[in-house]
Amino acid sequence: MSGFTDRADAALADPILKIAVERTAGTAEAKRGIAVAAFPDFDAARIRAAAIKDHVIAHLGHYLEKFEANAVAAGAKVHWASTSDEACRIVIDLCKRANAKTVARSKSMLGEEIGLPHALAEAGIGRVETDLAEHIIQLADERPSHIIWPAMHKTREQVSALFKAKHRSPHEEETIAAMAESARRQLRGEMLGADVGISGANFLIADTGAICTVTNEGNAELSLVPPRVHIVTAGIEKIVPSMPHAIHMLRMLARSATGAALTQYTTFYTGPRRPGDRDGPEEMHIVLVDNGRTRMREEGLAEMLRCIRCGACMNHCVVFRQIGGHAYGGTYPGPMGSVLTPVFDGLPKNRDLAHACTLNGKCQEVCPVRIPLPTLLRGWREKSWREGLEPTSMRFGLGVWAWVARRPALYRFGTGLAVRAMRLLGRKGWIGKLPLAGGWTRYRDMPKPAAQTFMAQYQRERRK
Amino acid sequence: MMTRNVALFVTCLVDVMRPRIGFAAIRALEAAGCDVVVPQGQTCCGQPALNSGDRDHAAALAKQTIKALEPYEAIIVPSGSCAGTIRCHYPEIFEHDAAWLPRAQAVAAKTFEVMAYLDEVCGWKPEGVSVDAKATYHDSCSGLRELGIKAQPRRLLKSIDGLTFAPLAGEETCCGFGGTFCVKYPAISNAIVGEKADAIDATGADLLLAGDLGCLMNMAGKLNRKGSKVRAYHAIELIAGMGDGPAIGEEA
Ligand code: SF4
C-alpha cells in the first residue's frame, strides 16, 4: 500500500469522507462534552482509572494467573498466544475441531489486530459479522476506520447503495428502519446457523474469571449464546482486579466513547453453560494474546497499555478529523493508533505516524486513562532519529541550524541576513512564495519580517 | 512597588519575524514594575529539535538557554509554547542527568508566559489603554494545555477600553501549525487552518488575538490568502498599548 502522505492526500480529496467523519466524530465530541460536564469530578475519576490500569500493568502476571485459575474453575479453557499468528492458529484449530462451517463474529479490535477475518477466510471458514458496521465493512471488503464505529467513513447514502447491491432482499425505502430491516433479513438466519461464536472482551475480571463486553446492538450476545462453541480473544492488558474496578472503567469508557452514561448492552459472563442452564455455549475458550504487549512494557510504552479503546483521542484529533482512519494504515487509527502501529508493524514503515501530529495535547486531555499520547509520540520520533530513519535533509538541516543557534553572535549575523533576504521576496506585507517553505506558501502567505531583528533593534536602542 | 529583576526570553520567532511583540512585552512588564533585561546568550529554546526527535541538539540548546537565563529572578516568554518547553520539557530532557537536572528544574520553576506573569504574579492590569474594535481570541494549545493559560489574557484584555469580544467557535481547537507539522504535512495543516480561518471569519470580529506567534502567523497567513479582512495581533501588543501599530502582515 502507498505511504501515509498519499493516503492522507486521497482522504483530503474526498469530500464525502469529510462529511461522514464530521457527522460521527463531531456528534461524539459534543456528547462527551455534555456527559463529562455532568460528571461530579471527572478528573478525579480519570486519575483513579489510570491508577487501576497502572496497578494491573505493573502486576500483570499476578492478575493473569488469578484470572486463568478462576476462568478454568468456571469451566472455560484458557489458551495463551504470544504472537498474532499463534492466536489465529489457536482460533482456527478450535473452529476446525468444532467442525465449523461458519462463525458468528462480534466486533473486536483484537480480532482485527491479529488478522482474524483474513485467517478465517484462508481456512475456508465462513464468517458472519453480528455488528452492523462490521457487516457493512465486510460487504464493502474494507477495513474498519474507527475503533468504535468501524464504518464511520461511510455516509448513510453509501451504505444504502451497498445494501441494495449486496443483500438478497434489500430495502426499498431509504429510511434507517428499512435499511436495518434489510440487514436483519440478511443476517439473522446466518447468525443462528453459526457453529462457533467469536467475540472480544472489554474487560477480564481477575477475581471471578468473568468476561465483560459492551455493545450497542446486543450483538456480542449473538455470538455468545446461540453457537455451541464460544471463543473469546482478548489482549492480556484487558484485565482488571475485580467487579468494582470493571464498573469504574465502564463508566469512563461509555462517557468517553459516545457520551452515554452506559452502553446499551453490558454483559458479564463466566464459563460455559452449566447443567440446568437454558442456553449458552457448551464449550468456552479464552485466548489471551500478548502480541507485543509485554515488550511495550519493557520499551517505555507501559502507559499505552492503559488504553481502554474508547476512541475519544481520535474523535477529538484535528488530524483524524481531516483524514479519517484509513489514512493511518494500521488496525488502530488516530493518536492511539500512531503509538500502537509501530509496535505491531515496525517503526521504519510507520515513522510518518509519529510526526503526523501537531502535539496540541487535546488527545491527552480527553483520554479517560490519561495516556500521555504526545509524549509517547515524541518518544517514537526520538527512536526514529536515533535509528537514522529520519530523512537526511531533515537531519542535515536541523544539524546546521543547531550548530548556528549555539553560537549567538553567528546566529545574530545569520538571522540578520535571513530577514533581509526574506524582505526582498515580499510584496506589501506578505510573501506569497518562499523558497524552502513551499509547503507553507502553497496554502497560505507568510508575513514579511520587520526590517531588523529584535536583537538588532534592542542593541541599537540601548546604545543610544 | 517592589521591582522585579526579570529576563525576557524573546523566542526565535519573535526575534526574526515580529520584534514588536518583544518590545510590547518589555513595555507591559515595565509598566507592571519590572526591571527587564534581555540576556544576550539566548537564541532558540530548542523546541524544533526536541519535537523532531533530535534529543542531543535539544539538550545542547537547552543547556545554552539555561546558562543564559538562570541568573535572573524570573524568565518571561511571550509565547506559551516556548515557555511550555522550558517549564515542562527541560526537566524531562535532563531526567537522567544529575548535573543538569537541578539547574533545569530551577529555571523551569521561574519561567512564565508573559500574560500569565503579568496577571497572576504581578496582579497588574493595563491602564488608560483603549482600542475601538471587536476581537476574537484563539487559545494556543501549548499555553492552554501545558501551562493552563486561559483566563489570564482575557482578564488583561478586558481592561482595555472600547475592546469588545466575539467568541470563537472551537477556540481551544488546534490551528494546525504544530511547529514543523505545517511544513511536513502542508495539506493536512491547510485543511485544519482552513476550518479555523472560516470560524474566525464567522465571528465577525475585526481582530484575531492569540498568545503565540507561530499560530498567529499560520492563521493570519491563511486569512490573508483567502482574502479575509480580519487583522491579527499578539494579545500582548494590545495589552501594552501598541494596538495602533501594523497588524501581522501589514507594512509599518
Ligand atoms: S488512548 Fe485514551 S482516548 Fe484513546 S482510545 Fe485509548 S483510552 Fe481512549
Side-chain angles (χ1 to χ4, degrees):
Chain A
M1 214 195 198
S2 54
F4 171 78
T5 326
D6 296 327
R7 293 191 301 263
D9 282 346
L12 289 170
D14 180 351
I16 294 183
L17 173 72
K18 173 75 191 153
I19 294 168
V21 171
E22 205 50 40
R23 270 188 201 164
T24 314
T27 312
E29 179 182 16
K31 284 197 179 160
R32 176 201 172 270
I34 296 167
V36 165
F39 199 92
D41 187 348
F42 199 69
D43 248 342
R46 288 170 74 222
I47 291 171
R48 173 150 186 253
I52 292 171
K53 290 295 288 196
D54 279 350
H55 172 81
V56 167
I57 302 306
H59 306 281
L60 202 51
H62 168 82
Y63 285 112
L64 284 170
E65 280 170 28
K66 216 168 147 186
F67 173 79
E68 181 180 30
N70 289 320
V72 168
K77 271 206 76 174
V78 176
H79 311 257
W80 301 86
S82 52
T83 62
S84 53
D85 285 349
E86 205 180 331
C88 285
R89 215 163 39 232
I90 294 170
V91 175
I92 301 295
D93 280 352
L94 291 169
C95 291
K96 284 190 176 152
R97 236 184 294 151
N99 271 326
K101 279 183 282 306
T102 344
V103 302
R105 203 176 81 103
S106 138
K107 178 182 94 76
S108 126
M109 286 317 294
L110 184 94
E112 298 295 334
E113 177 191 314
I114 62 178
L116 197 51
H118 181 74
L120 288 165
E122 268 200 342
I125 299 170
R127 165 172 66 100
V128 49
E129 292 289 347
T130 60
D131 176 90
L132 181 60
E134 280 289 339
H135 168 64
I136 294 168
I137 294 297
Q138 187 179 19
L139 288 186
D141 196 17
E142 286 177 12
R143 298 175 63 181
S145 69
H146 189 284
I147 63 173
I148 304 275
W149 302 284
M152 71 122 59
H153 57 286
K154 291 205 174 305
T155 59
R156 185 200 312 164
E157 295 75 11
Q158 289 173 323
V159 172
S160 168
L162 188 65
F163 282 4
K164 280 200 170 143
K166 304 261 170 121
H167 280 173
R168 281 187 303 271
S169 61
H171 53 289
E172 270 155 26
E173 269 175 74
E174 296 289 318
T175 62
I176 293 200
M179 284 161 65
E181 205 39 60
S182 166
R184 266 189 210 111
R185 277 195 300 273
Q186 178 79 14
L187 289 173
R188 250 188 200 150
E190 290 178 34
M191 282 197 268
L192 294 175
D195 313 291
V196 170
I198 303 178
S199 65
N202 289 87
F203 303 102
L204 306 169
I205 301 166
D207 71 352
T208 58
I211 312 268
C212 171
T213 46
V214 298
T215 64
N216 273 318
E217 296 157 16
N219 56 297
E221 290 73 1
L222 286 167
S223 62
L224 140 69
V225 179
R228 205 174 52 72
V229 177
H230 180 218
I231 306 171
V232 176
T233 58
I236 52 173
E237 86 289 7
K238 291 277 169 178
I239 206 123
V240 289
S242 70
M243 192 66 152
H245 296 107
I247 300 288
H248 183 73
M249 302 312 285
L250 277 169
R251 300 177 79 197
M252 304 306 285
L253 174 63
R255 282 178 176 80
S256 303
T258 61
L262 206 59
T263 314
Q264 307 281 8
Y265 292 85
T266 301
T267 310
F268 296 87
Y269 52 96
T270 319
R273 172 200 299 234
R274 273 161 285 253
D277 281 358
R278 293 186 49 194
D279 50 25
E282 288 161 26
E283 270 176 50
M284 177 181 177
H285 298 270
I286 303 169
V287 186
L288 296 174
V289 185
D290 184 324
N291 199 28
R293 284 163 174 76
T294 37
R295 190 159 35 94
M296 281 169 66
R297 211 167 54 155
E298 286 144 24
E299 287 175 359
L301 291 169
E303 285 155 315
M304 196 61 220
L305 292 170
R306 286 183 205 149
C307 177
I308 54 172
R309 312 282 191 256
C310 71
C313 54
M314 54 201 76
N315 297 341
H316 289 77
C317 171
V318 277
V319 176
F320 181 92
R321 289 276 275 264
Q322 294 298 339
I323 62 176
H326 283 152
Y328 289 82
T331 302
Y332 302 99
M336 53 85 90
S338 296
V339 176
L340 285 172
T341 303
V343 174
F344 304 130
D345 192 32
L347 186 58
K349 255 167 66 195
N350 295 290
R351 59 159 289 280
D352 257 312
L353 294 181
H355 290 277
C357 161
T358 66
L359 299 178
N360 67 73
K362 184 74 187 175
C363 50
Q364 176 173 354
E365 182 184 292
V366 297
C367 175
V369 283
R370 299 173 28 124
I371 298 175
L373 294 153
T375 308
L376 299 180
L377 288 173
R378 209 185 264 116
W380 277 129
R381 293 181 188 187
E382 283 174 14
K383 186 155 200 275
S384 177
W385 190 278
R386 276 199 312 277
E387 295 183 355
L389 302 174
E390 295 300 300
T392 326
S393 57
M394 188 69 197
R395 302 180 72 87
F396 179 74
L398 256 177
V400 170
W401 164 82
W403 191 83
V404 176
R406 290 184 61 198
R407 289 158 180 81
L410 181 63
Y411 179 84
R412 308 257 180 272
F413 178 73
T415 48
L417 278 184
V419 162
R420 255 170 286 156
M422 278 175 80
R423 284 181 62 82
L424 291 177
L425 298 165
R427 302 179 48 225
K428 295 237 191 84
W430 295 96
I431 304 166
K433 244 203 182 106
L434 191 61
L436 299 176
W440 179 287
T441 48
R442 196 179 321 146
Y443 300 107
R444 64 216 113 173
D445 297 319
M446 178 70 90
K448 202 161 107 177
Q452 273 191 320
T453 65
F454 175 90
M455 284 301 188
Q457 287 184 45
Y458 182 76
Q459 291 291 1
R460 198 191 56 211
E461 275 173 32
R462 270 215 326 202
R463 242 182 281 129
K464 282 197 284 214
Chain B
M1 196 196 291
M2 187 184 90
T3 34
R4 296 183 167 88
N5 170 28
V6 306
L8 181 73
F9 183 72
V10 188
T11 85
C12 52
L13 216 51
V14 168
D15 179 33
V16 172
M17 298 304 294
R18 195 161 168 86
R20 287 174 55 81
I21 295 171
F23 289 107
I26 294 179
R27 202 202 266 202
L29 286 164
E30 285 179 347
C34 300
D35 221 346
V36 187
V37 214
V38 180
Q40 291 301 300
Q42 62 172 291
T43 57
C44 166
C45 67
Q47 192 190 146
L50 181 70
N51 287 349
S52 300
D54 180 0
R55 212 172 165 109
D56 293 342
H57 281 132
L61 284 164
K63 284 182 185 170
Q64 166 174 295
T65 308
I66 291 170
K67 271 195 241 163
L69 301 178
E70 64 191 346
Y72 303 90
E73 191 181 315
I75 297 129
I76 313 302
V77 191
S79 151
S81 109
C82 309
T85 297
I86 300 177
R87 269 191 88 111
C88 307
H89 300 300
Y90 276 16
E92 282 169 16
I93 294 177
F94 299 110
E95 212 177 359
H96 303 297
D97 184 334
W100 279 90
L101 180 60
R103 294 173 75 174
Q105 284 170 330
V107 165
K110 56 184 179 178
T111 296
F112 300 88
E113 190 276 336
V114 62
M115 295 184 284
Y117 187 75
L118 289 167
D119 178 72
E120 284 177 355
V121 182
C122 303
W124 175 83
K125 279 186 173 32
E127 269 168 44
V129 179
S130 69
V131 175
D132 189 19
K134 183 153 89 170
T136 195
Y137 197 92
H138 164 77
D139 295 286
S140 295
C141 304
S142 308
L144 176 69
R145 300 196 181 89
E146 290 184 342
L147 305 174
I149 294 169
K150 177 91 192 175
Q152 305 91 326
R154 288 175 172 79
R155 272 199 292 267
L156 292 168
L157 288 164
K158 291 245 157 77
S159 301
I160 296 176
D161 284 337
L163 194 64
T164 57
F165 290 90
L168 175 61
E171 61 189 7
E172 293 189 358
T173 304
C174 175
C175 73
F177 173 64
T180 49
F181 175 83
C182 61
V183 283
K184 278 193 230 153
Y185 303 98
I188 304 174
S189 175
N190 172 55
I192 300 170
V193 74
E195 274 179 28
K196 183 58 90 173
D198 291 345
I200 293 165
D201 262 337
T203 62
D206 315 301
L207 308 181
L208 166 68
L209 305 178
D212 257 283
L213 182 55
C215 318
L216 278 162
M217 282 168 48
N218 184 38
M219 294 182 288
K222 186 70 196 178
L223 286 166
N224 193 61
R225 183 65 64 91
K226 77 186 269 252
S228 162
K229 292 277 163 291
V230 179
R231 305 164 72 216
Y233 288 92
H234 192 296
I236 194 69
E237 296 180 66
L238 267 72
I239 290 165
M242 289 168 61
D244 50 358
I248 291 173
E250 288 174 2
E251 282 296 11

